[in-house]
Amino acid sequence: MLEVKNLTKKFEDRLVLNDLSITVPDDEILAIVGPSGAGKTTLLRCITGLETPNQGEFFWNGKQFDPKNNDLIGVVFQDYQLFPNLTVMQNITLAPTMVKKEPLKEVKKRAEQMLTQLGLQGKEDIYPFQLSGGQKQRVAIVRAMAMNPKILCYDEPTSALDPALRDEVAKIILGLKQSEGMTQLVVTHDMDFAKNIADQIERVKALS
Amino acid sequence: MLNYISGIMPALLSGTRMTLSIFFWTLICSIPLGALVGLGLITKFKPLAWILNLYVWLMRGTPLLLQLIFVFYGLPLLKPYAIIFPRYQAALFAFILNYTAYFGEIFRGGFQSVPRGQFESAKVLHLSYPQTIRKIVIPQVVKIVLPSIGNEVINLVKDSSLVYVIGLGDLLRAGNVASARDVTLLPLVLVGIIYLMLTAVCTIALRMIEKRSSVWR
Ligand SMILES: Nc1ncnc2c1ncn2[C@@H]1O[C@H](COP(=O)(O)OP(=O)(O)O)[C@@H](O)[C@H]1O
Ligand SMILES: [Mg+2]
């Protein structure tokens, strides 16, 4: 269970998040919805340690954790941010081998499995520029999953995609819930998409 | 005529050796130094960035020829703190100082053009700063700066002839001496041909490096 308690974030004098608390039970999917500029990305960036909140505490299964330093959370960015100079496989294996010092062979084996599950078999040795947007996103998901996170965060996973691919993404997210028991936070401004995937919907309102 | 050419070739080749020696040592020192200066130019530690900006401004805002003369003829006049470099060292010192500034400016642009998202992506994967620099930033920067570095490399081949002014026996000097002594144009033509061959080799080498880094975009 992920708990965020009393999260407040200001940019200069501008209040973006005010005393916000959320709870996400294990295996569940929380959709964070709201209009553009409401602070959805900021909320996600606080949870993933990319912004420092002015106030707020974070707990995983009752134990407090530091968003900037934990191995609980994986992130799938809105623009994916794959490393363009590395192949698909290198993108995935880089962190597990360099950070966790896992043997390359094992990481590769797991990566192959996940790539195949997501229909990316045969793409291991090509570079990100050779992938479509949807494929990039799936590689970004596999890259995040390769670090074995407990929580996976997505910022606007449908915004850069062809509308026809929306259901594909929903299927992947729901699939990860089922097969991996992944707790997932999904920021979106697409209400239909949110209703499709979420166990719980958190509405973020613009404050100023 | 062939006899004449083979007669002056040893002198020209020895001059070429001097030219190449200035060329290589300048590159070997000023590319890594330039990368460090580039990082320094974008540091959040303002005094360092400020000093480096001043340095880059001085080096790029004054002629390399002036800098050479300044180091070799000027510094020894700096009584009572005269700094006396032998000719070759003076030339290298001035060239490295000058080219480091140009490379620094190129690298600054290179570092700035790596998107912030790449650093954030590395951060959420818990890569350390050195790991991020080595595996993500440097390969991307190298690709970005390669064409500009290439231009400077070609310039350096030709700029190296400026050492002539402090009396070093480089290729240009060897040709000039032969031409004046024998009252013929031929040595200068040969000098031109040798410079062309040197820049051609550099161009081909750079093309090959650029091609290797074009497997990704
Ligand atoms: N780094 C920042 N500095 C200043 N203001 C910011 C920064 N990041 C976001 N904001 C502001 O915070 C508000 C919320 O932004 P964001 O979280 O990106 O909204 P959303 O993702 O819901 O569209 C916006 O008004 C935005 O201008
Ligand atoms: Mg956003």
Side-chain angles (χ1 to χ4, degrees):
Chain A
M1 185 171 70
L2 169 71
E3 289 168 283
V4 177
K5 291 187 181 164
N6 310 106
L7 181 62
T8 297
K9 174 71 188 171
K10 287 180 206 162
F11 288 112
E12 316 288 312
D13 283 338
R14 177 131 185 249
L15 193 60
V16 177
L17 301 169
N18 187 20
D19 201 28
L20 188 126
S21 296
I22 55 177
T23 302
V24 193
D26 282 358
D27 306 6
E28 287 207 352
I29 299 172
L30 173 74
I32 300 162
V33 298
S36 179
K40 306 183 295 297
T41 297
T42 304
L43 169 59
L44 213 62
R45 288 173 61 84
C46 287
I47 295 171
T48 54
L50 293 172
E51 289 302 344
T52 310
N54 298 81
Q55 191 194 311
E57 291 177 329
F58 304 84
F59 299 87
W60 174 250
N61 291 339
K63 261 181 68 184
Q64 192 164 5
F65 69 88
D66 176 3
K68 285 191 197 300
N69 184 20
N70 63 77
D71 48 11
L72 296 171
I73 298 177
V75 184
V76 178
F77 290 94
Q78 186 166 8
D79 47 4
Y80 322 125
Q81 294 295 347
L82 297 178
F83 304 124
N85 56 310
L86 301 179
T87 63
V88 166
M89 187 51 95
Q90 289 166 341
N91 261 279
I92 298 166
T93 56
L94 182 69
T97 54
M98 293 199 79
V99 177
K100 291 192 164 177
K101 313 281 178 217
E102 291 179 37
L104 179 64
K105 234 172 119 184
E106 282 170 33
V107 183
K108 266 188 163 171
K109 220 171 100 191
R110 258 186 316 154
E112 291 292 353
Q113 271 174 8
M114 284 186 283
L115 286 171
T116 306
Q117 268 173 33
L118 298 188
L120 289 166
Q121 62 274 31
K123 307 269 186 233
E124 294 82 358
D125 298 322
I126 63 177
Y127 287 88
F129 82 94
Q130 293 164 298
L131 298 170
S132 72
Q135 291 170 332
K136 280 183 198 157
Q137 184 177 55
R138 280 176 276 158
V139 172
I141 292 172
V142 177
R143 182 176 68 174
M145 290 290 297
M147 289 295 273
N148 284 318
K150 300 281 186 271
I151 306 160
L152 201 50
C153 298
Y154 307 75
D155 194 1
E156 304 276 7
T158 59
S159 70
L161 293 183
D162 197 316
L165 287 172
R166 215 168 57 151
D167 296 338
E168 287 293 311
V169 185
K171 231 164 53 197
I172 291 170
I173 293 174
L174 288 167
L176 286 177
K177 171 184 169 173
Q178 237 150 42
S179 64
E180 317 277 335
M182 190 63 55
T183 301
Q184 297 176 89
L185 268 59
V186 183
V187 160
T188 181
H189 61 258
D190 180 341
M191 200 57 202
D192 291 336
F193 180 74
K195 280 182 180 144
N196 247 330
I197 55 166
D199 300 290
Q200 214 194 125
I201 293 182
E202 171 77 26
R203 286 185 170 73
V204 182
K205 284 194 230 36
L207 290 178
S208 42
Chain B
M1 183 166 108
L2 278 180
N3 269 341
Y4 178 70
I5 292 178
S6 60
I8 59 165
M9 253 350 228
L12 294 188
L13 287 181
S14 135
T16 307
R17 255 200 306 282
M18 170 60 71
T19 294
L20 285 177
S21 153
I22 297 277
F23 173 79
F24 278 118
W25 285 113
T26 302
L27 276 192
I28 285 170
C29 298
S30 57
I31 289 182
L33 285 174
L36 289 178
V37 169
L39 272 180
L41 284 168
I42 54 173
T43 180
K44 292 196 184 78
F45 181 58
K46 287 298 164 209
L48 179 62
W50 195 85
I51 290 169
L52 288 175
N53 267 305
L54 180 70
Y55 155 69
V56 169
W57 179 65
L58 281 176
M59 290 297 128
R60 300 208 313 165
T62 58
L64 174 52
L65 191 54
L66 172 64
Q67 293 162 20
L68 262 174
I69 294 172
F70 192 91
V71 169
F72 185 66
Y73 295 112
L75 293 184
L77 307 176
L78 201 67
K79 290 179 180 118
Y81 304 109
I83 304 169
I84 302 171
F85 282 108
R87 285 173 210 280
Y88 179 72
Q89 280 77 356
L92 264 190
F93 183 72
F95 269 82
I96 290 171
L97 219 54
N98 179 276
Y99 270 79
T100 296
Y102 278 92
F103 287 139
E105 193 58 24
I106 291 171
F107 275 104
R108 182 192 57 73
F111 285 120
Q112 281 177 332
S113 61
V114 176
R116 222 173 60 146
Q118 291 283 298
F119 289 91
E120 297 190 338
S121 191
K123 200 164 160 190
V124 298
L125 290 166
H126 303 297
L127 292 166
S128 67
Y129 187 71
Q131 286 170 341
T132 307
I133 293 290
R134 195 153 53 89
K135 291 289 184 176
I136 315 295
V137 178
I138 288 183
Q140 295 186 28
V141 168
V142 165
K143 188 183 172 81
I144 294 164
V145 301
L146 215 48
S148 318
I149 298 271
N151 280 337
E152 293 303 327
V153 168
I154 304 285
N155 277 339
L156 177 57
V157 174
K158 297 177 287 179
D159 274 356
S160 68
S161 64
L162 293 174
V163 300
Y164 174 81
V165 77
I166 60 172
L168 269 182
D170 77 319
L171 175 54
L172 180 65
R173 184 184 196 79
N176 208 2
V177 166
S179 173
R181 183 191 55 215
D182 306 333
V183 201
T184 156
L185 196 63
L186 200 57
L188 294 181
V189 173
L190 289 175
V191 164
I193 291 172
I194 294 175
Y195 274 117
L196 278 175
M197 288 190 327
L198 294 181
T199 50
V201 168
C202 289
T203 308
I204 292 168
L206 287 162
R207 285 273 158 75
M208 274 159 53
I209 300 174
E210 273 184 48
K211 202 164 165 198
R212 262 192 51 196
S213 79
S214 70
V215 294
W216 58 271
R217 280 179 221 152

